[in-house]
Amino acid sequence: MVFHPPVAIVAKAGDAGKYKVGLPAWNMFLRGILSGAFIAMGAALATICSTGIQATDVAMRFGAASPGVSQLILGAVFPVGLIITIMTGAELFTGDAMLAPMAAFVHKVSWASVLNLWVWVYVGNLVGSILFAYIVAYGPYASFDAAGVATLTAFGSRAVAIATAKTSYVGAAALWSLFLKAIACNWLVNLAVLLGICADDAIGKIVGIWFPIFAFVASGFEHSIANMYFIPAGIFCTGIDPTKAVETLNWVTMWTNNIIVVTIGNIVGGLFFVGVLYWIAFRKEIAALK
């Protein structure tokens, strides 16, 4: 395995950001759709694998209530989405929250081009996430009888529970907590991106990406693009079974009780806690590489 030193990783992050901001808008959008779907794939897998975990023999060994076991499973399988994104060249807003600014720092690209990338990728991520949420809601989350009447599977009920929890942030204190979870999330996500740059071989990249993503998911932090899947999946499931509907779970609260605050927190976590701090730490060494 070949591992690059820290200064080279930061420089490569700037190079990657420069490439990304130079893409045409349609390509940013298309790659954004792909990544939104890929992240949703990991989120769907995490939902299914964590369903009913507290009722299993393994969970019972840790006590009747064992939320840590469920979080362990969630974290263990969720990273597949970011692994696919990075290794296939798709575009994820939360990663671009660090990579595009690094291009501005290292290569002096305009901040207008950074914002342009963010907007197109964010919208693309939203489209891809909701598209896959619909596919899964009416696929493995639903069961149809001979008359074509749909009911939710255990996976669908789990999806509703996750979405309900994510839209339950009401009030200043709750939203502040949500904001802090979003900062911590994208701090770890962008460390995963840097570790993905660190290695040149596939196994090294996968291992580097997996651990920080595992940490953020298992810790219960909040990722804006993942939530663009989790919440719509729950909303679609309440359409299948209206008895599962709750007041806080709808297309408006998706934004007001989660996505807007999480997006801002993710930007802070990626831009400042990774991009700015690493640029300050290594800027003299990066200048010496030129």
Side-chain angles (χ1 to χ4, degrees):
M1 294 184 183
V2 177
F3 295 95
H4 300 285
V7 62
I9 297 170
V10 177
K12 283 178 174 289
D15 294 343
K18 181 181 180 182
Y19 166 76
K20 291 171 183 291
V21 300
L23 292 170
W26 68 266
N27 206 330
M28 296 175 182
F29 178 66
L30 176 60
R31 296 187 192 197
I33 293 174
L34 293 174
S35 184
F38 297 157
I39 296 300
M41 291 173 189
L45 179 63
T47 299
I48 290 172
C49 290
S50 65
T51 296
I53 191 67
Q54 292 186 353
T56 65
D57 290 339
V58 173
M60 294 302 288
R61 293 174 189 172
F62 291 88
S66 51
V69 176
S70 179
Q71 291 300 109
L72 174 69
I73 300 301
L74 278 167
V77 301
F78 182 89
V80 64
L82 187 62
I83 290 170
I84 297 173
T85 289
I86 290 178
M87 298 188 72
T88 63
E91 291 295 334
L92 179 62
F93 170 77
T94 48
D96 290 342
M98 179 271 293
L99 291 171
M102 287 297 288
F105 299 147
V106 176
H107 296 289
K108 309 302 183 185
V109 302
S110 71
W111 283 96
S113 66
V114 171
L115 291 174
N116 181 65
L117 175 69
W118 283 0
V119 169
W120 284 110
V121 171
Y122 189 85
V123 175
N125 288 167
L126 178 64
V127 172
S129 297
I130 294 178
L131 172 63
F132 200 77
Y134 180 86
I135 290 171
V136 176
Y138 286 89
Y141 291 178
S143 177
F144 296 86
D145 63 18
V149 177
T151 57
L152 289 182
T153 64
F155 307 133
S157 296
R158 170 70 169 151
V160 173
I162 292 173
T164 300
K166 288 185 175 294
T167 54
S168 64
Y169 294 92
V170 179
L175 292 175
W176 177 246
S177 174
L178 182 66
F179 177 68
L180 295 177
K181 290 178 183 178
I183 291 175
C185 166
N186 217 29
W187 195 341
L188 280 163
V189 167
N190 281 285
L191 291 176
V193 171
L194 291 182
L195 291 180
I197 295 172
C198 178
D200 287 335
D201 62 287
I203 297 300
K205 288 181 178 293
I206 290 170
V207 172
I209 295 166
W210 187 84
F211 277 101
I213 303 303
F214 169 87
F216 109 65
V217 176
S219 298
F221 299 146
E222 294 283 344
H223 188 270
S224 57
I225 310 306
N227 291 348
M228 289 177 182
Y229 162 81
F230 281 125
I231 300 173
I235 294 172
F236 288 138
C237 285
T238 61
I240 296 170
D241 183 356
T243 66
K244 299 289 186 180
V246 294
E247 184 178 351
T248 60
L249 179 56
N250 55 64
W251 293 108
V252 174
T253 57
M254 166 180 166
W255 293 97
T256 59
N257 293 12
N258 191 285
I259 299 292
I260 293 174
V261 173
V262 173
T263 298
I264 297 170
N266 286 167
I267 292 173
V268 172
L271 172 57
F272 293 102
F273 284 83
V274 182
V276 170
L277 294 183
Y278 269 85
W279 166 244
I280 292 173
F282 290 99
R283 60 181 176 178
K284 290 185 179 179
E285 295 169 70
I286 291 172
L289 293 176
K290 297 180 179 180

